[in-house]
Amino acid sequence: MPKRVLRGTVVSDKTDKTVVVRVDRAFKHSLYSKTIRKSKKYHAHDETNSFKEGDTVKIQECMPISKMKRWEVITSTEGK
């Protein structure tokens, strides 16, 4: 089974080897047909502490690293 890959924005890089990534999604309400925007925050592993607040990154599922971290940063999508 392939691993999920999400794209989001780094909102915090204060902890060591961890970044918090906000992933936004938009969908249409089934009854009212209004577009709804929701976001969710994921804690992702950043081994080299190379990503800063505001960076757009891709995160991928991985084995549990700690209580909160089940994702790892794979690439930065800046400039794309």
Side-chain angles (χ1 to χ4, degrees):
M1 183 174 188
K3 296 181 180 182
R4 290 189 297 166
V5 176
L6 301 175
R7 181 176 296 154
T9 305
V10 176
V11 293
S12 175
D13 62 345
K14 293 179 180 161
T15 53
D16 188 33
K17 297 186 180 182
T18 304
V19 292
V20 179
V21 180
R22 187 186 74 230
V23 176
D24 297 318
R25 65 186 190 99
F27 60 96
K28 188 174 279 195
H29 191 279
S30 60
L31 179 62
Y32 300 116
S33 298
K34 180 179 178 178
T35 302
I36 301 171
R37 296 175 55 104
K38 287 199 174 194
S39 63
K40 186 171 180 181
K41 292 181 184 177
Y42 296 94
H43 290 253
H45 186 66
D46 175 18
E47 183 67 36
T48 58
N49 289 321
S50 57
F51 300 103
K52 303 298 176 200
E53 276 189 49
D55 290 349
T56 303
V57 295
K58 284 186 180 179
I59 58 174
Q60 173 181 325
E61 280 183 312
C62 66
M63 65 180 191
I65 298 170
S66 67
K67 178 183 175 183
M68 298 288 289
K69 289 198 291 185
R70 272 94 170 118
W71 297 83
E72 61 186 350
V73 179
I74 51 174
T75 59
S76 175
T77 57
E78 287 296 315
K80 289 186 179 180

